[in-house]
Amino acid sequence: MKLNIAVIPGDGAGPEMVLPALDILRIISRRYGHILKLTEVTACGKGIEEQGSPLPEEAQRVCLASDAVLLGNVGLKKYQDNPFHLRPEYGLLKLRRCLKVTTNIRPVRLYAPLCSLSPLKKEVTERGLDLIFVRDIAGGVLCSEQVRQVGEHGAEAYEYEYYNVDIVWDTAKIAFEIAGARKKKLLSLDKANVLESSRLWRKTVTQMGEHYPGIQLSHGYIDSAALKLVTHPEEFDVVVTSNLFGDIISDEGTGLTGTPGLYASAELSVKGPGLYTPNQLHHPDETMIGKQMVCPVGMIAAVALMLRCSFGLEEEAEAVEKGIEQVLEEGYVTADLAEKNLEKKQVVGTAVMGEMIARKIKEG
Protein backbone atom coordinates (compact mmCIF):
# COMPACT_ATOMS: atom_id res chain seq x y z
CA MET A 1 0.00 0.00 0.00
CA LYS A 2 1.13 3.57 -0.69
CA LEU A 3 1.26 5.75 2.42
CA ASN A 4 1.43 9.41 1.41
CA ILE A 5 1.85 11.40 4.63
CA ALA A 6 2.36 15.11 5.22
CA VAL A 7 4.43 15.85 8.32
CA ILE A 8 4.31 19.05 10.36
CA PRO A 9 6.95 18.75 13.12
CA GLY A 10 5.30 21.61 15.01
CA ASP A 11 6.59 23.71 17.88
CA GLY A 12 8.44 23.17 21.15
CA ALA A 13 8.92 19.47 21.84
CA GLY A 14 7.09 18.58 18.61
CA PRO A 15 10.17 17.95 16.43
CA GLU A 16 11.79 15.80 19.16
CA MET A 17 8.66 13.66 19.36
CA VAL A 18 8.04 13.46 15.61
CA LEU A 19 11.49 12.07 14.69
CA PRO A 20 11.10 8.71 16.51
CA ALA A 21 7.52 8.46 15.24
CA LEU A 22 8.76 8.77 11.64
CA ASP A 23 11.46 6.16 12.25
CA ILE A 24 8.76 3.77 13.41
CA LEU A 25 6.69 4.52 10.30
CA ARG A 26 9.69 3.60 8.15
CA ILE A 27 10.20 0.35 10.06
CA ILE A 28 6.53 -0.58 9.73
CA SER A 29 6.59 0.20 5.99
CA ARG A 30 9.64 -1.99 5.39
CA ARG A 31 8.33 -4.84 7.54
CA TYR A 32 4.92 -4.97 5.88
CA GLY A 33 5.92 -3.98 2.34
CA HIS A 34 4.31 -0.55 2.11
CA ILE A 35 5.55 2.34 -0.03
CA LEU A 36 6.06 5.31 2.27
CA LYS A 37 6.20 8.94 1.13
CA LEU A 38 6.86 11.52 3.85
CA THR A 39 6.67 15.22 2.98
CA GLU A 40 7.72 17.74 5.61
CA VAL A 41 5.50 20.82 5.68
CA THR A 42 6.48 24.27 6.94
CA ALA A 43 3.75 25.47 9.31
CA CYS A 44 3.02 26.58 12.88
CA GLY A 45 5.86 28.59 14.47
CA LYS A 46 8.31 27.77 11.66
CA GLY A 47 5.74 28.97 9.13
CA ILE A 48 5.39 32.26 10.99
CA GLU A 49 9.15 32.78 11.17
CA GLU A 50 9.96 31.81 7.59
CA GLN A 51 6.85 32.71 5.60
CA GLY A 52 4.79 35.00 7.80
CA SER A 53 1.92 32.54 8.18
CA PRO A 54 1.21 29.60 10.55
CA LEU A 55 -0.22 27.70 7.55
CA PRO A 56 1.17 28.96 4.22
CA GLU A 57 -0.65 28.12 0.98
CA GLU A 58 1.95 25.54 -0.03
CA ALA A 59 1.44 23.76 3.29
CA GLN A 60 -2.29 23.61 2.66
CA ARG A 61 -1.73 22.20 -0.83
CA VAL A 62 0.59 19.44 0.41
CA CYS A 63 -1.73 18.47 3.25
CA LEU A 64 -4.77 18.28 0.96
CA ALA A 65 -2.85 16.08 -1.49
CA SER A 66 -1.80 13.62 1.23
CA ASP A 67 -3.58 10.58 2.63
CA ALA A 68 -2.99 11.76 6.21
CA VAL A 69 -1.29 14.54 8.15
CA LEU A 70 0.95 13.94 11.16
CA LEU A 71 1.28 17.00 13.40
CA GLY A 72 3.56 17.55 16.40
CA ASN A 73 2.94 19.98 19.25
CA VAL A 74 1.41 23.38 18.57
CA GLY A 75 2.08 26.72 20.27
CA LEU A 76 4.69 28.41 22.43
CA LYS A 77 4.55 31.20 24.99
CA LYS A 78 6.70 33.40 22.73
CA TYR A 79 3.75 33.72 20.33
CA GLN A 80 0.95 34.26 22.85
CA ASP A 81 0.93 38.06 22.43
CA ASN A 82 0.85 37.90 18.63
CA PRO A 83 -2.37 38.75 16.78
CA PHE A 84 -4.37 35.51 16.60
CA HIS A 85 -3.75 35.07 12.85
CA LEU A 86 -0.01 35.02 13.62
CA ARG A 87 -0.15 32.38 16.33
CA PRO A 88 0.56 28.67 15.72
CA GLU A 89 -2.88 27.74 17.10
CA TYR A 90 -4.49 29.67 14.24
CA GLY A 91 -2.60 27.45 11.81
CA LEU A 92 -4.16 24.39 13.46
CA LEU A 93 -7.67 25.84 13.17
CA LYS A 94 -7.01 26.77 9.54
CA LEU A 95 -5.72 23.26 8.83
CA ARG A 96 -8.86 21.73 10.30
CA ARG A 97 -11.02 23.87 8.02
CA CYS A 98 -8.78 23.08 5.06
CA LEU A 99 -9.11 19.33 5.62
CA LYS A 100 -12.84 19.66 6.45
CA VAL A 101 -12.51 17.34 9.42
CA THR A 102 -15.73 16.74 11.34
CA THR A 103 -14.91 14.22 14.06
CA ASN A 104 -12.32 13.84 16.82
CA ILE A 105 -11.17 10.39 17.99
CA ARG A 106 -9.42 9.92 21.34
CA PRO A 107 -8.50 6.40 22.48
CA VAL A 108 -7.84 6.12 26.22
CA ARG A 109 -6.42 3.13 28.06
CA LEU A 110 -4.50 2.55 31.25
CA TYR A 111 -0.90 1.47 30.82
CA ALA A 112 -0.49 -1.06 33.62
CA PRO A 113 3.08 0.00 34.62
CA LEU A 114 1.84 3.58 35.09
CA CYS A 115 -1.39 2.87 36.97
CA SER A 116 0.03 4.44 40.12
CA LEU A 117 -0.19 7.83 38.38
CA SER A 118 -3.95 7.58 38.04
CA PRO A 119 -6.03 9.60 40.54
CA LEU A 120 -8.48 6.70 40.66
CA LYS A 121 -8.51 4.24 43.53
CA LYS A 122 -6.55 1.04 43.03
CA GLU A 123 -9.71 -1.10 43.09
CA VAL A 124 -11.04 0.97 40.17
CA THR A 125 -7.87 0.88 38.06
CA GLU A 126 -7.61 -2.87 38.57
CA ARG A 127 -10.90 -3.22 36.66
CA GLY A 128 -9.30 -1.47 33.70
CA LEU A 129 -9.97 1.49 31.45
CA ASP A 130 -9.96 1.04 27.67
CA LEU A 131 -12.34 3.19 25.63
CA ILE A 132 -12.60 5.54 22.67
CA PHE A 133 -14.25 8.96 22.66
CA VAL A 134 -15.78 10.01 19.33
CA ARG A 135 -16.61 13.71 19.36
CA ASP A 136 -18.19 15.99 16.79
CA ILE A 137 -16.01 19.02 16.00
CA ALA A 138 -18.14 20.63 13.27
CA GLY A 139 -21.17 21.86 15.24
CA GLY A 140 -22.27 23.13 18.64
CA VAL A 141 -21.32 26.27 20.53
CA LEU A 142 -17.58 25.82 19.89
CA CYS A 143 -18.18 26.35 16.16
CA SER A 144 -20.93 28.93 16.55
CA GLU A 145 -21.00 32.60 15.72
CA GLN A 146 -20.06 34.51 18.86
CA VAL A 147 -22.35 37.36 19.90
CA ARG A 148 -21.40 40.09 22.36
CA GLN A 149 -23.65 43.07 22.90
CA VAL A 150 -25.33 45.32 25.45
CA GLY A 151 -28.78 44.31 26.62
CA GLU A 152 -31.29 45.21 29.30
CA HIS A 153 -28.93 44.03 32.07
CA GLY A 154 -25.73 45.41 30.58
CA ALA A 155 -23.06 43.43 28.73
CA GLU A 156 -24.21 40.03 27.45
CA ALA A 157 -22.70 37.32 25.28
CA TYR A 158 -23.86 34.04 23.79
CA GLU A 159 -23.26 31.34 21.19
CA TYR A 160 -25.62 28.89 19.52
CA GLU A 161 -25.72 25.14 20.18
CA TYR A 162 -26.45 24.50 16.51
CA TYR A 163 -26.75 21.05 14.96
CA ASN A 164 -28.23 19.67 11.77
CA VAL A 165 -28.74 16.12 10.54
CA ASP A 166 -25.67 16.11 8.29
CA ILE A 167 -23.28 17.17 11.08
CA VAL A 168 -24.55 14.47 13.45
CA TRP A 169 -24.69 11.90 10.63
CA ASP A 170 -20.96 12.24 9.84
CA THR A 171 -19.80 11.71 13.41
CA ALA A 172 -22.34 8.97 14.13
CA LYS A 173 -21.20 7.01 11.06
CA ILE A 174 -17.57 7.12 12.17
CA ALA A 175 -18.58 6.08 15.70
CA PHE A 176 -20.58 3.07 14.49
CA GLU A 177 -17.67 1.96 12.29
CA ILE A 178 -15.28 2.12 15.24
CA ALA A 179 -17.72 0.28 17.51
CA GLY A 180 -18.05 -2.45 14.89
CA ALA A 181 -14.32 -3.11 15.08
CA ARG A 182 -14.38 -3.38 18.88
CA LYS A 183 -17.08 -4.79 21.21
CA LYS A 184 -19.99 -3.74 18.98
CA LYS A 185 -21.32 -1.41 21.68
CA LEU A 186 -21.89 2.32 21.25
CA LEU A 187 -22.99 4.79 23.92
CA SER A 188 -24.30 8.15 22.73
CA LEU A 189 -24.27 10.97 25.27
CA ASP A 190 -26.48 14.06 25.20
CA LYS A 191 -28.77 16.22 27.32
CA ALA A 192 -31.99 15.33 25.55
CA ASN A 193 -34.05 15.89 28.69
CA VAL A 194 -33.57 19.66 28.36
CA LEU A 195 -31.94 20.58 25.02
CA GLU A 196 -33.68 20.55 21.64
CA SER A 197 -30.30 20.19 19.93
CA SER A 198 -29.71 17.02 21.98
CA ARG A 199 -33.08 15.64 20.98
CA LEU A 200 -32.07 16.08 17.33
CA TRP A 201 -28.72 14.46 18.15
CA ARG A 202 -30.38 11.44 19.78
CA LYS A 203 -32.92 10.98 16.98
CA THR A 204 -30.26 11.19 14.26
CA VAL A 205 -27.85 8.78 15.99
CA THR A 206 -30.75 6.34 16.44
CA GLN A 207 -31.55 6.58 12.73
CA MET A 208 -27.93 5.92 11.84
CA GLY A 209 -28.07 2.88 14.11
CA GLU A 210 -30.67 1.32 11.79
CA HIS A 211 -27.86 0.92 9.24
CA TYR A 212 -25.77 -0.98 11.81
CA PRO A 213 -28.07 -3.70 13.23
CA GLY A 214 -25.10 -5.57 14.69
CA ILE A 215 -24.15 -2.67 16.97
CA GLN A 216 -25.79 -2.33 20.40
CA LEU A 217 -26.68 1.36 20.70
CA SER A 218 -27.58 2.97 24.02
CA HIS A 219 -28.16 6.58 25.05
CA GLY A 220 -27.21 8.38 28.24
CA TYR A 221 -26.99 11.84 29.76
CA ILE A 222 -23.61 13.54 29.78
CA ASP A 223 -23.68 14.48 33.48
CA SER A 224 -24.52 10.95 34.63
CA ALA A 225 -21.84 9.52 32.35
CA ALA A 226 -19.19 11.91 33.68
CA LEU A 227 -19.88 10.61 37.20
CA LYS A 228 -19.95 6.97 36.13
CA LEU A 229 -16.66 7.34 34.26
CA VAL A 230 -14.94 8.02 37.59
CA THR A 231 -16.56 5.13 39.46
CA HIS A 232 -16.92 2.43 36.76
CA PRO A 233 -14.71 3.29 33.77
CA GLU A 234 -14.54 -0.37 32.77
CA GLU A 235 -18.17 -0.21 31.62
CA PHE A 236 -17.36 2.21 28.76
CA ASP A 237 -16.16 1.16 25.31
CA VAL A 238 -17.01 3.54 22.43
CA VAL A 239 -18.64 6.85 23.37
CA VAL A 240 -20.02 9.36 20.86
CA THR A 241 -21.14 12.86 21.78
CA SER A 242 -21.39 16.48 20.70
CA ASN A 243 -18.62 19.05 20.51
CA LEU A 244 -18.75 20.76 23.92
CA PHE A 245 -19.72 17.64 25.86
CA GLY A 246 -16.99 15.65 24.09
CA ASP A 247 -14.37 18.30 24.75
CA ILE A 248 -15.00 18.00 28.47
CA ILE A 249 -15.54 14.27 28.97
CA SER A 250 -12.61 13.20 26.76
CA ASP A 251 -10.30 15.39 28.85
CA GLU A 252 -11.77 13.75 31.94
CA GLY A 253 -11.03 10.34 30.45
CA THR A 254 -7.38 11.03 29.65
CA GLY A 255 -6.98 12.81 33.00
CA LEU A 256 -8.15 9.73 34.86
CA THR A 257 -5.12 7.84 33.61
CA GLY A 258 -2.71 10.36 35.11
CA THR A 259 -0.75 10.34 31.85
CA PRO A 260 -2.77 12.44 29.36
CA GLY A 261 0.29 13.12 27.20
CA LEU A 262 0.73 9.44 26.29
CA TYR A 263 -2.33 9.19 24.07
CA ALA A 264 -3.14 10.06 20.49
CA SER A 265 -5.85 12.13 18.88
CA ALA A 266 -7.30 11.96 15.37
CA GLU A 267 -9.49 14.40 13.49
CA LEU A 268 -11.35 12.76 10.63
CA SER A 269 -13.96 13.37 7.97
CA VAL A 270 -16.07 10.74 6.26
CA LYS A 271 -13.75 11.24 3.29
CA GLY A 272 -10.47 13.12 2.92
CA PRO A 273 -7.15 13.21 4.82
CA GLY A 274 -7.16 12.69 8.57
CA LEU A 275 -5.13 14.78 11.01
CA TYR A 276 -3.16 12.93 13.71
CA THR A 277 -1.60 14.52 16.79
CA PRO A 278 -0.63 13.73 20.37
CA ASN A 279 -3.62 14.15 22.70
CA GLN A 280 -1.72 16.88 24.55
CA LEU A 281 -0.97 19.40 21.82
CA HIS A 282 1.43 21.50 23.87
CA HIS A 283 3.87 20.19 26.47
CA PRO A 284 3.11 22.02 29.74
CA ASP A 285 6.75 22.51 30.76
CA GLU A 286 8.68 24.49 28.15
CA THR A 287 11.90 24.16 30.15
CA MET A 288 12.12 20.56 28.91
CA ILE A 289 12.07 21.47 25.23
CA GLY A 290 15.18 20.47 23.30
CA LYS A 291 16.63 18.44 26.16
CA GLN A 292 15.42 14.94 25.23
CA MET A 293 13.23 14.87 28.33
CA VAL A 294 9.76 14.58 26.76
CA CYS A 295 8.02 11.24 26.20
CA PRO A 296 7.35 10.50 22.50
CA VAL A 297 4.68 7.86 23.20
CA GLY A 298 1.75 10.18 22.40
CA MET A 299 3.24 10.91 18.98
CA ILE A 300 4.05 7.26 18.33
CA ALA A 301 0.51 6.31 19.40
CA ALA A 302 -0.72 8.83 16.80
CA VAL A 303 1.13 6.80 14.16
CA ALA A 304 -0.74 3.67 15.28
CA LEU A 305 -4.04 5.55 15.15
CA MET A 306 -3.24 6.81 11.65
CA LEU A 307 -2.38 3.33 10.40
CA ARG A 308 -5.69 2.06 11.75
CA CYS A 309 -8.06 4.89 10.82
CA SER A 310 -6.69 6.27 7.54
CA PHE A 311 -5.23 3.09 6.04
CA GLY A 312 -7.15 0.23 7.69
CA LEU A 313 -3.87 -1.42 8.73
CA GLU A 314 -4.91 -3.07 11.98
CA GLU A 315 -1.99 -5.50 12.25
CA GLU A 316 0.52 -2.70 11.77
CA ALA A 317 -1.25 -0.49 14.32
CA GLU A 318 -1.24 -3.30 16.86
CA ALA A 319 2.48 -3.88 16.29
CA VAL A 320 3.19 -0.25 17.21
CA GLU A 321 0.95 -0.38 20.29
CA LYS A 322 2.51 -3.64 21.42
CA GLY A 323 5.97 -2.08 21.14
CA ILE A 324 4.90 0.84 23.33
CA GLU A 325 3.44 -1.48 25.97
CA GLN A 326 6.52 -3.72 26.07
CA VAL A 327 8.91 -0.83 26.66
CA LEU A 328 6.73 0.63 29.40
CA GLU A 329 6.38 -2.81 31.01
CA GLU A 330 10.16 -3.11 31.14
CA GLY A 331 10.21 0.01 33.30
CA TYR A 332 11.53 2.66 30.94
CA VAL A 333 10.27 6.25 31.14
CA THR A 334 11.42 9.72 30.10
CA ALA A 335 12.26 12.55 32.49
CA ASP A 336 8.81 14.17 32.30
CA LEU A 337 7.26 10.95 33.61
CA ALA A 338 10.02 10.29 36.12
CA GLU A 339 9.18 13.65 37.74
CA LYS A 340 5.91 12.12 38.93
CA ASN A 341 7.66 10.08 41.65
CA LEU A 342 7.50 6.76 39.86
CA GLU A 343 9.50 4.08 41.65
CA LYS A 344 11.87 1.55 40.09
CA LYS A 345 11.85 3.15 36.65
CA GLN A 346 14.79 3.63 34.29
CA VAL A 347 14.97 7.12 32.77
CA VAL A 348 15.95 7.44 29.09
CA GLY A 349 15.86 10.26 26.56
CA THR A 350 13.16 10.99 23.99
CA ALA A 351 15.12 9.51 21.08
CA VAL A 352 16.22 6.46 23.06
CA MET A 353 12.62 5.77 24.09
CA GLY A 354 11.67 5.80 20.42
CA GLU A 355 14.59 3.54 19.51
CA MET A 356 13.55 1.01 22.16
CA ILE A 357 9.98 0.91 20.85
CA ALA A 358 11.30 0.56 17.31
CA ARG A 359 13.49 -2.37 18.39
CA LYS A 360 10.48 -4.16 19.89
CA ILE A 361 8.58 -3.71 16.62
CA LYS A 362 11.50 -5.14 14.63
CA GLU A 363 11.67 -8.15 16.94
CA GLY A 364 7.98 -8.75 16.32
Side-chain angles (χ1 to χ4, degrees):
M1 178 182 286
K2 293 182 178 179
L3 312 180
N4 179 20
I5 301 164
V7 181
I8 303 175
D11 307 310
E16 294 173 76
M17 296 169 66
V18 164
L19 282 176
L22 297 184
D23 287 342
I24 284 170
L25 259 175
R26 294 184 184 100
I27 290 166
I28 287 290
S29 297
R30 287 195 294 268
R31 177 177 171 182
Y32 291 93
H34 302 305
I35 300 171
L36 178 64
K37 179 184 178 183
L38 298 172
T39 306
E40 184 170 329
V41 177
T42 298
C44 300
K46 188 177 181 180
I48 295 169
E49 302 295 340
E50 296 184 2
Q51 300 185 36
S53 169
L55 190 70
E57 289 187 8
E58 175 64 11
Q60 296 179 55
R61 186 192 67 77
V62 172
C63 290
L64 278 171
S66 69
D67 298 320
V69 179
L70 199 63
L71 171 64
N73 289 23
V74 175
L76 286 170
K77 290 177 183 176
K78 64 181 285 189
Y79 297 112
Q80 65 185 7
D81 294 327
N82 282 15
F84 189 57
H85 72 283
L86 291 177
R87 291 171 55 182
E89 295 86 348
Y90 180 75
L92 173 60
L93 295 177
K94 195 173 179 181
L95 180 59
R96 287 168 172 166
R97 290 195 295 269
C98 174
L99 298 178
K100 297 180 180 178
V101 292
T102 63
T103 306
N104 176 257
I105 312 296
R106 284 199 204 181
V108 181
R109 62 188 300 184
L110 276 172
Y111 289 114
L114 304 177
C115 276
S116 63
L117 299 180
S118 171
L120 297 172
K121 293 181 178 180
K122 185 178 180 181
E123 56 263 35
V124 177
T125 60
E126 286 177 344
R127 298 198 297 267
L129 191 161
D130 183 358
L131 69 154
I132 294 182
F133 293 103
V134 183
R135 164 196 165 198
D136 157 68
I137 54 173
V141 297
L142 299 183
C143 294
S144 166
E145 176 186 356
Q146 297 177 336
V147 180
R148 188 176 181 89
Q149 61 190 23
V150 177
E152 181 182 353
H153 303 287
E156 59 186 25
Y158 58 91
E159 291 83 19
Y160 296 97
E161 177 69 3
Y162 174 83
Y163 275 99
N164 61 43
V165 170
D166 285 348
I167 292 174
V168 183
W169 199 259
D170 278 358
T171 292
K173 180 176 177 59
I174 291 171
F176 275 103
E177 293 288 340
I178 291 173
R182 286 173 57 98
K183 297 180 181 179
K184 300 187 177 359
K185 292 168 53 182
L186 177 63
L187 171 63
S188 177
L189 299 177
D190 56 46
K191 198 67 177 163
N193 53 338
V194 293
L195 297 178
E196 191 60 40
S197 57
S198 281
R199 286 189 276 273
L200 173 66
W201 176 279
R202 183 173 290 210
K203 180 179 179 181
T204 307
V205 173
T206 300
Q207 290 172 339
M208 175 60 78
E210 295 172 2
H211 298 272
Y212 294 87
I215 306 299
Q216 178 187 337
L217 171 64
S218 58
H219 298 276
Y221 296 135
I222 184 66
D223 47 347
S224 300
L227 173 59
K228 190 174 182 180
L229 186 59
V230 174
T231 57
H232 292 86
E234 76 282 358
E235 295 186 14
F236 291 81
D237 189 54
V238 181
V239 177
V240 63
T241 191
S242 62
N243 200 342
L244 182 60
F245 294 159
D247 189 25
I248 296 167
I249 199 167
S250 59
D251 277 351
E252 178 191 7
T254 56
L256 290 178
T257 68
T259 55
L262 301 195
Y263 304 97
S265 175
E267 297 178 9
L268 310 176
S269 62
V270 173
K271 56 182 178 179
L275 174 62
Y276 298 88
T277 69
N279 169 60
Q280 193 164 303
L281 267 173
H282 179 64
H283 197 276
D285 186 350
E286 291 193 4
T287 65
M288 291 187 173
I289 293 169
K291 299 177 181 177
Q292 292 290 304
M293 299 173 72
V294 177
C295 188
V297 164
M299 197 77 246
I300 294 170
V303 166
L305 193 57
M306 179 182 66
L307 291 169
R308 177 176 289 118
C309 293
S310 280
F311 300 106
L313 300 175
E314 183 62 31
E315 184 178 351
E316 289 85 333
E318 289 182 359
V320 175
E321 291 166 346
K322 183 179 177 182
I324 292 171
E325 290 173 1
Q326 288 176 328
V327 170
L328 291 175
E329 285 170 359
E330 290 179 2
Y332 293 98
V333 295
T334 45
D336 54 349
L337 291 175
E339 275 195 342
K340 301 177 185 292
N341 297 318
L342 284 167
E343 295 181 359
K344 298 180 181 179
K345 299 296 179 183
Q346 302 179 67
V347 180
V348 297
T350 305
V352 173
M353 190 76 166
E355 289 168 5
M356 296 177 73
I357 295 170
R359 192 177 306 123
K360 294 296 182 184
I361 295 170
K362 287 179 181 177
E363 293 170 355

